[in-house]
Amino acid sequence: MKNKNQIYLPLLASAILILILISRAIDTSLLTRENEYLGIIILEVMIFAFPCIIFTRLFPPKAGNTLKISIFGADKIFLAFTATILLISGSIMYAFLINGVGGTDSSFTLYNVFTAKKTGAISGNLYLILVYALIPAVFEEFTFRGVICSGYEGYSPVYSILMSSIFFGMIHFDIKMLPFYILAGIVLGIVLYASGSVFISIAVHFVFNLFFIFAVDYSNAFIMADKNFSFFVIGLLFFVSAFMFCGECKSIYKKKASTASISEKDSAVKANALEILLSPTAVICYLIYFAVEFLK
């Protein structure tokens, strides 16, 4: 089981990367068609759903609710709220630091392939919400916080969060933003394990997408109006939300630790971090990503 997970999970991530690259060529032919949104939905299904279905058919998850498909309670809403503010403020701060004033891109793109076009019409906005915010959040969370996290979970939640976050960061094909996307994956992974529900991570991801589709122009205008003051406000939001998020996670995990059985605490497979990070198929996945980034 150990070797199988190390070998085959990176192959799933590699397949997704390759399918995204293939979709770049297909996307150029969709841009002028009236059925553009339908085409993008089909491509997203092909990129994420089909590989995951094939993978789980070949390598079924172990017994139990390993994909964390469960309804969350109202007590997890604060966790989701702090995680969302942390991700939004962190993204703006990171883009500000690496690109300067107005560094956050005002156009929302998926995987550096599909670009959201805001028309202002109600129907157009509904399509944007569905195609660029909801469907990607659902597919990406079920892929990375579902299938991939579940596959690495036998080692420990730490390894599952780390590896799923690395693969999650790479699908966005933006090497300058890669550290942030990996951090975002870590936050979403912590949300998954703290809440015990993939639906919470989907909700956080969905609201994050919504912000950068519809509200990033306002945040850029705020930054442009007064750089020093805006940086202070966004930085304050980031550190306060990080503090509250960590505090909420600590409280949740403390409750879980008090009720966990001895078998649950000792069930993780012992593994070497480098063996997992640098497994041959994981290295192949990294090489695909960096080859594309440095040769484009």
Side-chain angles (χ1 to χ4, degrees):
M1 178 67 71
K2 175 181 175 182
N3 291 333
K4 183 187 78 172
N5 288 341
Q6 286 183 208
I7 292 170
Y8 293 113
L9 284 165
L11 288 180
L12 171 61
S14 298
I16 291 170
L17 290 180
I18 291 170
L19 288 170
I20 290 173
L21 294 175
I22 293 172
S23 71
R24 287 182 171 181
I26 300 174
D27 178 54
T28 57
S29 64
L30 291 172
L31 292 177
T32 57
R33 297 183 184 178
E34 294 181 358
N35 63 346
E36 175 188 345
Y37 289 118
L38 177 60
I40 293 174
I41 292 173
I42 293 170
L43 286 175
E44 288 176 342
V45 170
M46 292 175 62
I47 290 168
F48 293 104
F50 285 175
C52 285
I53 291 170
I54 293 170
F55 183 85
T56 52
R57 293 284 291 179
L58 292 174
F59 311 105
K62 62 184 181 181
N65 187 20
T66 57
L67 297 182
K68 307 285 189 300
I69 302 174
S70 58
I71 302 301
F72 57 88
D75 59 328
K76 300 301 189 296
I77 292 176
F78 185 69
L79 173 72
F81 174 76
T82 55
T84 304
I85 300 301
L86 175 61
L87 289 180
I88 290 173
S89 59
S91 177
I92 295 172
M93 264 192 69
Y94 183 82
F96 185 95
L97 290 172
I98 64 172
N99 296 324
V101 179
T104 305
D105 194 344
S106 60
S107 61
F108 183 84
T109 62
L110 292 174
Y111 327 121
N112 234 349
V113 180
F114 313 113
T115 301
K117 304 180 187 69
K118 289 176 278 191
T119 63
I122 294 177
S123 59
N125 287 338
L126 290 175
Y127 276 123
L128 287 177
I129 291 170
L130 175 66
V131 177
Y132 283 90
L134 181 60
I135 291 178
V138 171
F139 284 163
E140 290 174 28
E141 292 308 304
F142 272 112
T143 299
F144 296 99
R145 257 61 64 183
V147 175
I148 292 179
C149 268
S150 173
Y152 281 108
E153 196 172 66
Y155 302 108
S156 80
V158 173
Y159 289 133
S160 89
I161 290 173
L162 176 61
M163 294 306 296
S164 64
S165 299
I166 291 172
F167 296 141
F168 173 72
M170 290 193 296
I171 66 162
H172 294 86
F173 283 105
D174 187 343
I175 199 163
K176 288 173 68 176
M177 291 295 291
L178 179 63
F180 170 76
Y181 285 125
I182 293 175
L183 176 62
I186 291 172
V187 171
L188 289 166
I190 293 172
V191 167
L192 172 76
Y193 282 102
S195 66
S197 173
V198 72
F199 295 115
I200 282 278
S201 64
I202 289 172
V204 173
H205 197 151
F206 172 62
V207 176
F208 177 84
N209 286 349
L210 281 181
F211 178 87
F212 280 92
I213 292 172
F214 296 108
V216 72
D217 289 335
Y218 300 105
S219 69
N220 280 339
F222 176 68
I223 291 172
M224 294 293 289
D226 191 326
K227 180 178 70 173
N228 294 329
F229 177 71
S230 60
F231 187 78
F232 170 78
V233 171
I234 294 169
L236 184 64
L237 269 176
F238 174 77
F239 286 109
V240 169
S241 60
F243 178 79
M244 297 174 76
F245 174 73
C246 291
E248 185 68 8
C249 288
K250 180 181 177 181
S251 174
I252 292 171
Y253 278 115
K254 189 174 180 180
K255 291 177 183 177
K256 285 189 174 184
S258 65
T259 58
S261 66
I262 298 297
S263 60
E264 286 174 326
K265 293 176 182 177
D266 297 334
S267 61
V269 176
K270 302 300 180 184
N272 184 307
L274 288 179
E275 288 179 2
I276 296 174
L277 281 167
L278 300 178
S279 67
T281 47
V283 171
I284 290 172
C285 189
Y286 306 150
L287 289 175
I288 292 171
Y289 173 79
F290 286 108
V292 172
E293 287 298 288
F294 288 114
L295 293 177
K296 67 181 180 181

